[in-house]
Amino acid sequence: MDGSWDFAKDPLNVGVQEHWFERFPQDRQSVYVPSCWNNELGLFEYEGVGWYRTRLELGQTQHIRLIFHAILGHADVYLDGQHLGYHYGGYTPFEFVIPSLPAGEHELVIRADSTLDRLTIPTELVDWFHYGGIIRSVELQILPDLYIEHFKIGYELTGTDVSVNLQVKIRSLAGTAQTARLELLEGGQPVLSEELQIEAGQTYHYSAELLWNEVRLWNVGQPELYTLTARIADDDLSERIGFRRIETKDHRVLINGTPVYLKGVNRHEEHPEWGFAFPPKLMHKELDIILELGCNSVRGSHYPQSPYWLDLLDEHGIVFWSEIPIWGAMLPNETVAEPLFQERALNMIQEMIGLHIHHPSVIFWSVHNEIDTRTQDAYVFTQHLVQLVKQLDNTRLVTYATMHPLEDVVLPLFDVIGINKYFGWYEGEAGNFKGMLEQFHERARKLGAGDRVVLMTEFGGAGLFGDVGWEPRLFSEDYQAQIITEALAVFRSDPQIGGTYIWQFADIRGDLKSSSTHFRDRARGFNNKGLVNEYRKPKQSFREVRRIYRTWND
Ligand code: ADA
């Protein structure tokens, strides 16, 4: 349903009371969906409620499914004036099925609220721009009487032999019992077929086990993929997977038994002209630049990124770190103890895993970034998050990023520990990394976490694009390149570090506001720590990192 929709902002938040879902205001404009409203003229700093409206036309009575691939913040959906439901989140899809919607014109209205507060995720204090809007596609599916609601693939590998578990959830919207043949295909070729009897209104859970020998394994730079399709009556659903085994040993991540040193960058899915509604064409460009840099991994900072991006990584054998948007550098400890905050976090974990589960590129699930991990509240909260991840998917590594490496109490809860530290920028000098890491390893051993894989998940500094000179001054490209180069040398010489993720791939818009004291060092209103600027033009640091990453050949 992408295209031009009606849009009205609701700064006084009166829309619900005034029934805008039945009578859309006259004072409206037309915006393209998906997009961020901040990229419209006059709405740059608008944070709050926005209403969207479009229409859909049915030639006959149909069952429909509406999929909202991502709406920032709080979303309420109305169809013909009726409230279909509410979703909280921002980067994961949700959907509604409406059986037997009559022929004719129907009005779809969405109330999207981008307001950040102390219990939203992220909270109001976050180092990225507060965008709002419908940031990914809205999809309309016309459903037949029998449709596939969900198709989940799991597997266990022994060498190159695999046992594949297929679970298909079939739902009947028919008024009578149906007999239909469920077919499962791999690469278009039938592998299983079974006749099912499905009662009226029933949700049928089908599961099957397949044993395959000598499968081609997915690996870094070796993107072997398999497409599986479930088909019944007039519906089908395809999912693509890759088979690989992830383990850790001797401070390294192993893929299919081989250690891989992770050469990465932190990537926000953001661009000044598009906000978080990042167009696929730009993802291709971004991938080319990241490959050129010599990376084999990307950290998806700080929220579940678009499935299209993950498809590209799957297809190029690049390893991905997926995380939920708990951004904690300034998060008060009381917040993590709040039931609503916790409920939202658990829900986000569930939705992230649901969205990314089949992508072989994803090898890390990360539960939070830089919260105050020195406290008992953080320990208990983290325990819940980690438990949920393990329960939903115990084939990947559970991780997080800490800004308190020397005081952190949650280290033992994780398979992999990410350290964010900005020596040479916010504190000390790049040379300080060595001493800090020695202390960290010692402490991790004492806490019983000495065998974990440790990744440097953030480090770097700001370099303003074009500011080059004869000496490395703060904010110059030269200085940025220098601290990153020094830091990389320290990390690479530490056998207990398993990989590096530079902060960050590209400059992003920050949340610099004249009315607030936060993020005052964000010159131009941007976080300028990118290796490329916001238009993806390389800085000196890009060239240095390319030179270094290309010599790390393991
Ligand atoms: C933190 C945070 C990043 C970014 C960075 C910085 O480590 O995780 O999102 O804000 O600091 O640039 O200061």
Side-chain angles (χ1 to χ4, degrees), residues 127 268 302 327 369-370 420 422 426 458 503 522 527 529:
D127 186 17
H268 263 281
H302 289 295
W327 189 91
N369 175 69
E370 295 194 344
N420 295 357
Y422 286 86
Y426 294 123
E458 287 187 32
W503 186 267
R522 303 302 191 244
N527 184 325
K529 301 188 189 74

Side-chain angles (χ1 to χ4, degrees), residues 40-100:
E40 306 297 318
L41 288 180
L43 289 171
F44 181 63
E45 282 206 347
Y46 184 64
E47 180 176 338
V49 181
W51 290 77
Y52 290 85
R53 178 180 68 175
T54 193
R55 295 197 171 87
L56 60 105
E57 177 92 37
L58 294 182
Q60 61 190 85
T61 299
Q62 304 269 23
H63 312 306
I64 67 161
R65 166 149 65 180
L66 289 166
I67 306 175
F68 301 89
H69 285 277
I71 300 180
L72 286 172
H74 309 271
D76 283 279
V77 179
Y78 302 85
L79 186 68
D80 299 328
Q82 299 298 311
H83 190 235
L84 288 184
Y86 164 80
H87 178 262
Y88 179 73
Y91 307 89
T92 43
F94 58 97
E95 62 173 61
F96 302 99
V97 169
I98 302 109
S100 307

Side-chain angles (χ1 to χ4, degrees), residues 390-433:
K390 297 257 178 204
Q391 189 187 315
L392 295 171
D393 177 20
N394 61 8
T395 70
R396 288 162 165 107
L397 304 170
V398 190
T399 190
Y400 76 119
T402 180
M403 68 183 291
H404 301 290
L406 303 184
E407 296 157 287
D408 195 320
V409 297
V410 307
L411 305 180
L413 296 176
F414 291 95
D415 301 318
V416 172
I417 298 161
I419 300 181
N420 295 357
K421 205 64 181 159
Y422 286 86
F423 284 128
W425 188 253
Y426 294 123
E427 54 183 318
E429 292 165 5
N432 297 136
F433 277 115

Side-chain angles (χ1 to χ4, degrees), residues 83 146 236 240 249 257 260 292 310 460 486 489 492:
H83 190 235
L146 282 184
D236 67 5
R240 195 173 63 174
K249 197 176 163 209
V260 179
E292 166 73 18
L310 270 80
E486 278 181 46
R492 197 62 177 108

Side-chain angles (χ1 to χ4, degrees), residues 41 46 66 143 164 199 230 241 263 319 350 378 416 515 530 541:
L41 288 180
Y46 184 64
L66 289 166
L143 297 176
V164 187
E199 302 305 322
I241 55 161
K263 302 180 277 181
V319 165
Q350 197 149 357
V416 172
S515 56
S541 55

Side-chain angles (χ1 to χ4, degrees), residues 154-171:
Y155 66 87
E156 260 178 59
L157 259 183
T158 317
T160 54
D161 295 341
V162 69
S163 136
V164 187
N165 174 262
L166 303 169
Q167 291 177 40
V168 191
K169 211 166 157 186
I170 303 147
R171 187 170 164 206

